[in-house]
């Protein structure tokens, strides 16, 4: 007779522990391998969560899970122990987090090395900021913005339809958008001293950090340029590479004479029009196909 094996309570507990251990890896894999290209500020927290959970499971009572966590920690130390400084930069440029969040993360992992790590990041962050100040001459940025404001004010005066109340509100907005350097502080110091933005947990993932810097580009003209560049750094090229993996089906033996530029345009156009699909219908992982109609015009089907 054949008896089916029923999992014991110990098996269920082990399964739950393994799921808990692997969940952060699942989340960060979705984040990195997806096609939405999220801003770089989302990665530090994910990598930190992975290291925290691996540290916690080093002393697991379950031998199987402890051995699994130990092997994973060895791999993590080899490739990700020293976080990229840029990953820490983007945390500082997230107005919800800034330096206090870095301090919390470093302290949670190792309180003894927290201050050293934090100082290293802050020093390098200020060096990078100073480079932006040197490259993008702050005075020219302010003058450019001032001329734009004066043009808009001239236009308003020509229209002659603004009430005194509107003028007061307009003046207040201009005051709010006044470059920080005019107050005697550097943009960086003013930004770091400013209270962090509070976002409830329900809408935390919906916060548009690039939009924040766009809205505050007059207030922080140089820092906003730095934030735009740093936050848009792609952490992975997985999505881009997978897009071009369909090239083997595009350039078949029947189209061996198709120009490389045309092949690239076909693949990029398909990606721009349809993006990436999670419904995988073929062996290569994509449901797009490229064919020619009777007039030899190449069309794209999804």
């Amino acid at each position: 007779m054949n008896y089916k094996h029923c999992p014991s309570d110990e098996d269920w507990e082990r399964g739950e522990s393994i799921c808990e251990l692997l969940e952060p890896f699942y989340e960060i894999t979705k984040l990195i391998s997806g096609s939405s290209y999220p801003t770089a500020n989302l990665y530090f927290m994910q990598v930190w969560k992975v290291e925290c959970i691996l540290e916690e499971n080093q002393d697991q009572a379950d031998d199987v899970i402890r051995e699994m966590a130990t092997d994973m920690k060895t791999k993590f130390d080899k490739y990700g122990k020293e976080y990229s400084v840029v990953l820490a930069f983007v945390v500082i440029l997230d107005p919800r987090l800034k330096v206090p969040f870095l301090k919390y993360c470093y302290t949670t992992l190792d309180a003894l090395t927290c201050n050293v790590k934090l100082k290293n990041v802050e020093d390098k962050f200020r060096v990078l900021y100073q480079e932006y100040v040197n490259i993008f001459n702050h005075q020219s940025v302010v003058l450019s913005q001032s001329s734009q404001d004066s043009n808009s004010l001239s236009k308003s005066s020509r229209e002659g339809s603004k009430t005194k109340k509107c003028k007061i509100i307009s003046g207040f907005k201009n005051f709010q958008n006044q470059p920080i350097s005019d107050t005697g502080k550097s943009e960086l110091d003013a930004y770091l001293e400013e209270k962090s933005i509070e976002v409830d947990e329900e809408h935390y993932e919906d916060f548009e950090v690039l939009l924040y810097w766009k809205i505050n580009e007059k207030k922080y003209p140089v820092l906003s340029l730095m934030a735009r560049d740093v936050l848009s750094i792609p952490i992975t090229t997985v999505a881009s590479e997978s897009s071009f993996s369909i090239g083997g089906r595009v350039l078949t033996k029947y189209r061996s004479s198709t120009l490389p530029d045309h092949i690239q345009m076909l693949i990029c156009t398909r990606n721009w029009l349809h993006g990436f699909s999670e419904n995988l219908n073929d062996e290569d992982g994509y449901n797009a196909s490229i064919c020619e109609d009777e007039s030899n015009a190449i069309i794209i089907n999804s």
Side-chain angles (χ1 to χ4, degrees), residues 223-242:
L223 195 58
S224 64
L225 293 172
M226 175 178 165
R228 178 196 63 189
D229 292 344
V230 175
L231 286 165
S232 60
I233 295 175
I235 305 299
T236 179
T237 58
V238 169
S240 299
E241 291 170 353
S242 61

Side-chain angles (χ1 to χ4, degrees), residues 39-42 45 88-101 125 191 196-197 199 204 207-209 212-213 227 231:
T39 46
N41 60 307
L42 301 180
M45 189 183 299
F89 285 178
V90 296
V91 173
I92 297 176
L93 290 168
D94 189 325
R96 301 166 298 174
L97 306 176
K98 300 186 181 180
V99 175
F101 184 77
F125 188 87
Y191 166 72
S196 298
I197 293 177
V199 179
Y204 189 86
F207 183 78
E208 296 285 349
V209 65
Y212 166 86
W213 285 107
L231 286 165

Side-chain angles (χ1 to χ4, degrees), residues 9 105-106 118 140 149 160 202 226 244 246 254 277-278:
D9 290 341
C105 291
Y106 290 148
L118 203 59
S140 66
D149 292 341
E202 183 180 352
M226 175 178 165
F244 284 89
I246 67 172
Y254 303 108
S277 174
E278 294 183 359

